[in-house]
Amino acid sequence: MAVIPSRPVSITVFVRLKLRMLGHGLRGERRRVIAFAISLGVGLWLAVTGFVLFGVSGAVRHDIGYLMAAFGGAALVLGWLLLPLLFFGVDETLDPARFALLPLPRRTLAAGMLAGAMVGVPGLATALAMLGLAVAGGLRAGPAGAGVALLGGGLNLLLCIVLSRAVTSGFAAMLRSRRVRDLAGVVIALLAASMGPLQLVISSMVGHASLAPVLRVARVLGWTPLAAGFVAPYDLADGRPLAVPVRLGIVAVTVALLAWWWAVTLESAMLGAAGAPAGSRPVRGGVVRALLPAVLRPVRAGQFAAIAARELRYWSRDPRRRSSLISIIVGGAVVPVALRLTPGHSPGVPLPLAVAFTSVAGAAILANQFGFDGTAYAAHLLAAVPGRVELRGRAAALSVIMVPVLLVIVVAVAVFGDEDGQLVPTLGTAAAMYGASIAVASVLSVLIAYPVPDTRNAFASAGGSASAKGLLAFVGMVVAVVSASPVLAAALVLPGALAWVVLAAGLAWGLGLVLVTTRLVGDELDRRGPELLAAVTLRV
């Protein structure tokens, strides 16, 4: 019978354990050493960047510095919240289940894991970045400001670490599931795709509007746990010393609540009891109907429904398709806003023209739809799927995803831009552009198909020929705009009383182009199916 020692485990044991793990990693395989060196370099770069950002916020104009502190601090806290969810399992100390068999009190385990997190690269990099707050606080309000900044920085560091640990413990069981892993990949691609468009929007807003709306958002953030500790020194500089303990108290109370939640969920995280899947309900219609996503179950079972269901699953699970889809959605959402806020133009690009890119790009992703299949397309040839059914099923699957996105983008841009009167003709324009883009992409996908590497790397390329043919897809977008230009012209010229005419014309135009083109190109696909299979087969 094993004897459990009565002496309590010290928190320093966890710190030594973390340091020993880091040391063993440096003595392991070369790739692990390289990975650690890269992580150390990235951590150092982020630490220096954060230190400079927070430090410079104390030397610039007051409102600009407040913005830098509020948004920079909120971004840092959100980074600590999201990154453990996205990369759960990279750091072995993140998974509470590894301590399930150890006879440790819950409080000791929580404190030890917190201490272990602080000695890692992310914790040390964040602590170094927080020192920039002391520099800024000293520049704004002297020694008192520096002291407040140090206290706020310490609370912010605790908030970041406790927040990440509490969230990963609370959702530990879900984080081990495949669906959540797929969702993490979606979020990563979404964040990567957002960088460029967000820069475009920010530059447009800076050139078009004042800082007043952004400052209002920053002042609201300043009273939330995301940024309260970062902007506390500004209260001393503005002569509001009583607001300092209130802001710091907001952060301290949040840390205490998160620590309590962490302690409560830690045991279930170690046992893996959280998030247990419930029994699934039977689907009416039998096994075949159960294979279809819920949105397609009203459709009659057959080749069309099967292809649409297959494509829907691939758009959500294939990293190559998923990254392309997310890039299109993000770009399509941001470009209309940027065009409406073009500096030097009032009121900006007309709304129907601003959403034309979104509509065309939404379907241009089908320009090489068979390339994603590769040799799997042989199953479609063996099943003798008619070409028109093949093309229409694939277009329907993408439309299930893209049409709601287009509707949300168009309505949001019209409502927030105070152009409700242009909403109806803009919807007609979007329908015509989207249908024209599907038609042109269907032609390109049959005539200029090329292979896509069979890899989980979403950014892999098939070589120079793929780049050249990718330019043809861009030309196809231009052709789609030209083919739907009569509806666009009607939306720009006709008076508001005829807005519903433009909507009806756009729907008929787009649907008609899709039906006619898929019928003609489908016949061509029936004739040259083996050639298409050879074109999308990757040579090794």
Side-chain angles (χ1 to χ4, degrees):
M1 180 176 177
V3 178
I4 301 175
S6 59
R7 189 180 63 178
V9 177
S10 173
I11 295 178
T12 58
V13 173
F14 290 86
V15 176
R16 294 200 305 269
L17 176 62
K18 182 62 176 288
L19 294 175
R20 181 166 294 184
M21 290 173 60
L22 294 175
H24 282 303
L26 292 177
R27 293 196 299 267
E29 300 177 1
R30 179 176 300 178
R31 61 180 181 179
R32 296 185 63 181
V33 176
I34 295 175
F36 178 78
I38 293 175
S39 65
L40 187 62
V42 172
L44 181 61
W45 176 77
L46 291 175
V48 174
T49 301
F51 180 87
V52 172
L53 172 67
F54 290 128
V56 170
S57 67
V60 297
R61 203 175 68 192
H62 186 279
D63 52 354
I64 300 296
Y66 192 95
L67 289 177
M68 295 173 64
F71 285 108
L76 181 61
V77 176
L78 290 176
W80 271 90
L81 169 65
L82 294 175
L83 290 180
L85 293 177
L86 298 179
F87 300 103
F88 185 75
V90 174
D91 184 356
E92 287 141 344
T93 61
L94 285 177
D95 193 349
R98 295 183 178 273
F99 299 91
L101 300 179
L102 299 179
L104 297 173
R106 188 168 53 188
R107 181 178 300 178
T108 301
L109 181 59
M113 292 177 64
L114 180 64
M118 288 185 177
V119 300
V121 174
L124 295 177
T126 304
L128 179 59
M130 294 296 185
L131 294 178
L133 289 175
V135 176
L139 292 176
R140 292 289 180 190
V148 169
L150 282 175
L151 182 58
L155 289 174
N156 289 327
L157 179 61
L158 282 176
L159 174 64
C160 290
I161 297 177
V162 174
L163 177 62
S164 66
R165 297 291 168 153
V167 171
T168 51
S169 295
F171 299 99
M174 289 195 308
L175 289 171
R176 300 184 188 105
S177 67
R178 176 181 174 181
R179 290 188 176 182
V180 177
R181 295 280 187 171
D182 289 340
L183 179 61
V186 171
V187 176
I188 293 172
L190 181 62
L191 293 176
S194 302
M195 298 305 177
L198 283 178
Q199 292 179 358
L200 180 61
V201 170
I202 292 173
S203 61
S204 298
M205 291 180 64
V206 170
H208 185 266
S210 65
L211 290 177
V214 186
L215 271 173
R216 285 196 294 269
V217 176
R219 296 193 186 283
V220 173
L221 275 178
W223 290 104
T224 67
L226 294 176
F230 294 91
V231 300
Y234 287 83
D235 291 321
L236 285 180
D238 295 337
R240 297 191 303 270
L242 295 180
V244 173
V246 177
R247 293 190 194 270
L248 298 181
I250 291 174
V251 183
V253 170
T254 304
V255 171
L257 291 176
L258 287 172
W260 171 81
W261 181 41
W262 182 15
V264 169
T265 60
L266 192 57
E267 183 175 350
S268 62
M270 289 189 294
L271 298 177
S280 57
R281 297 175 55 187
V283 178
R284 296 181 58 184
V287 178
V288 174
R289 184 69 61 180
L291 294 175
L292 300 178
V295 70
L296 293 176
R297 285 171 189 164
V299 181
R300 184 176 63 88
Q303 292 179 328
F304 174 84
I307 291 175
R310 169 189 179 273
E311 290 295 301
L312 270 178
R313 286 190 171 89
Y314 279 19
W315 282 118
S316 63
R317 296 182 180 179
D318 186 350
R320 302 166 301 177
R321 298 196 191 205
R322 192 168 54 198
S323 62
S324 301
L325 184 63
I326 291 175
S327 299
I328 291 296
I329 291 176
V330 172
V334 172
V335 169
V337 178
L339 291 177
R340 294 295 300 154
L341 297 175
T342 302
H345 295 76
S346 181
V349 178
L351 185 60
L353 185 59
V355 302
F357 169 81
T358 303
S359 306
V360 171
I365 197 173
L366 294 175
N368 189 37
Q369 53 188 323
F370 294 100
F372 292 110
D373 292 359
T375 56
Y377 179 63
H380 296 234
L381 293 180
L382 294 174
V385 179
R388 70 187 68 173
V389 175
E390 180 86 45
L391 295 174
R392 290 172 183 175
R394 292 170 181 262
L398 181 65
S399 298
V400 169
I401 301 172
M402 288 303 305
V403 169
V405 172
L406 290 176
L407 287 175
V408 170
I409 292 174
V410 172
V411 172
V413 174
V415 171
F416 289 106
D418 295 328
E419 291 189 277
D420 298 4
Q422 287 291 313
L423 177 58
V424 174
T426 301
L427 289 174
T429 304
M433 292 287 178
Y434 182 74
S437 184
I438 287 181
V440 175
S442 299
V443 176
L444 295 176
S445 66
V446 174
L447 299 182
I448 63 165
Y450 55 91
V452 176
D454 185 12
T455 175
R456 296 190 65 84
N457 180 7
F459 306 99
S461 174
S465 61
S467 302
K469 293 177 180 179
L471 293 177
L472 293 179
F474 175 77
V475 175
M477 294 175 61
V478 176
V479 173
V481 172
V482 173
S483 61
S485 58
V487 178
L488 175 60
L492 296 175
V493 174
L494 293 180
L498 299 177
W500 291 102
V501 176
V502 177
L503 176 59
L507 291 172
W509 193 282
L511 184 59
L513 283 175
V514 171
L515 294 177
V516 172
T517 305
T518 52
R519 181 182 180 88
L520 297 176
V521 182
D523 294 339
E524 178 66 18
L525 179 58
D526 291 334
R527 288 190 294 269
R528 65 186 311 267
E531 299 177 21
L532 178 63
L533 176 61
V536 299
T537 300
L538 189 64
R539 271 61 171 181
V540 293

